[in-house]
């Protein structure tokens, strides 16, 4: 390879710059770029939703509301299912009293 | 990555919620009063009958009970005799005669039941009476319907 035929890097860069002049940057361009990078680094990513949810669940007000809701839901469902079981038992007792075919094995 | 360290906290929260839910469910199940021993309690709860309506229904029920008990005894006796007979012989005219007797007894039993249901329905307000009759017919006759539905494809195959 003949190094004499190849212009030095600095000369090449100067030549390229003169051939394709770069547009002037907006005022405070670098400052804006760094701010944007910082903002995006600080913002939570889409994978952080679980962390936010857990943090919210452990907030006292949210925790108390959630546990109260679960307690009420349990009470309601427990009452409803006990009512249904009781009604089924009463119905079977009535059927056994009026239908010999239900009583006789 | 932050998520794995938060998973135990999430599991703890869910576990706590499940425990609280279970506690509520268990307490409510035990708080509800136990069903009464009254045979007619279902009518009161299901059809919302008043004391006056129950006062009309109860004598009908008490009058029907001995008939029902008698039918029950007769069906049980017939079943016992058929079982004993089947231990001695697999078939034959005696078994067929017993089967016809049992079928006739069941039909008589169903007729009496339906008459009683009609009497009770007549003693109730019109809307509850209609619902009671439909419900009792469904509850007391559905066993036969299920059996017929189950046998239908086979009987079609035979023909």
């Amino acid at each position: 390879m003949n190094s004499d035929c190849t212009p030095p890097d600095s000369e090449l860069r100067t030549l390229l710059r003169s051939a394709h002049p770069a547009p002037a940057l907006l005022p405070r361009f670098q400052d804006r770029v760094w701010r944007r990078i910082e903002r995006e680094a600080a913002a939570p990513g889409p994978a952080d939703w679980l962390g936010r949810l857990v943090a919210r669940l452990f907030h006292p007000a949210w925790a108390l509301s959630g546990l109260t809701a679960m307690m009420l839901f349990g009470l309601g469902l427990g009452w409803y299912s006990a009512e249904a079981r009781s009604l089924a038992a009463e119905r079977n007792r009535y059927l056994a009293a009026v239908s010999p075919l239900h009583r006789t094995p | 990555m932050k998520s794995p360290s938060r998973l135990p906290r999430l599991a703890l929260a869910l576990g706590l919620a499940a425990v609280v839910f279970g506690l509520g469910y268990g307490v409510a199940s035990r708080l509800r009063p136990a069903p009464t021993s009254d045979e007619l309690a279902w009518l009161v709860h299901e059809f919302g009958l008043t004391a006056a309506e129950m006062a009309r229904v109860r004598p009908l029920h008490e009058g029907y009970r001995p008939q029902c008990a008698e039918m029950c005894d007769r069906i049980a006796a017939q079943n016992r005799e058929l079982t004993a007979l089947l231990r001695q012989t697999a078939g034959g005219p005696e078994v067929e005669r017993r089967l016809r007797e049992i079928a006739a007894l069941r039909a008589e039993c169903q007729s009496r039941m339906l008459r009683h249901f009609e009497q009770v329905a007549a003693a109730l307000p019109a809307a509850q009476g209609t619902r009671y009759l439909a419900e009792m017919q469904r509850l007391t006759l559905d066993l036969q319907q299920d059996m017929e539905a189950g046998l239908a494809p086979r009987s079609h195959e035979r023909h």
Side-chain angles (χ1 to χ4, degrees), chain A residues 56-68:
Chain A
R56 187 167 283 190
L57 282 177
F58 276 85
H59 190 275
W62 278 92
L64 193 66
S65 307
L67 291 180
T68 306

Side-chain angles (χ1 to χ4, degrees), chain A residues 91-102:
Chain A
R91 188 189 68 182
N92 288 339
R93 197 181 308 120
Y94 179 71
L95 276 177
V98 296
S99 170
L101 301 177
H102 275 77

Side-chain angles (χ1 to χ4, degrees), chain B residues 62-80:
Chain B
E62 297 300 333
Y64 172 72
R65 278 209 61 164
Q67 294 178 42
C68 183
E70 184 214 329
M71 294 302 290
C72 186
D73 291 344
R74 281 172 64 189
I75 291 172
Q78 290 274 17
N79 283 346
R80 275 197 305 273

Side-chain angles (χ1 to χ4, degrees), chain A residues 14-101:
Chain A
T14 314
L15 265 172
L16 282 170
R17 265 194 213 121
S18 59
H20 301 285
L25 292 175
L26 292 167
R28 300 173 62 205
F29 177 77
Q30 280 194 340
D31 191 31
R32 284 183 183 181
V33 169
W34 277 112
R35 266 197 211 159
R36 192 168 165 184
I37 289 169
E38 280 168 6
R39 223 178 16 245
E40 286 189 3
D48 206 35
W49 64 270
L50 188 66
R52 275 182 288 154
L53 177 73
V54 171
R56 187 167 283 190
L57 282 177
F58 276 85
H59 190 275
W62 278 92
L64 193 66
S65 307
L67 291 180
T68 306
M70 288 307 284
M71 172 64 87
L72 289 175
F73 185 50
L75 281 169
L77 201 66
W79 186 269
Y80 175 77
S81 66
E83 187 84 18
R85 277 199 306 274
S86 174
L87 201 61
E90 286 175 355
R91 188 189 68 182
N92 288 339
R93 197 181 308 120
Y94 179 71
L95 276 177
V98 296
S99 170
L101 301 177

Side-chain angles (χ1 to χ4, degrees), chain B residues 120-141:
Chain B
V120 173
L124 300 179
Q128 281 107 315
T130 308
R131 192 158 73 85
Y132 167 82
L133 197 56
E135 187 70 0
M136 293 314 293
Q137 285 170 353
R138 185 184 70 82
L139 288 170
T140 54
L141 303 178

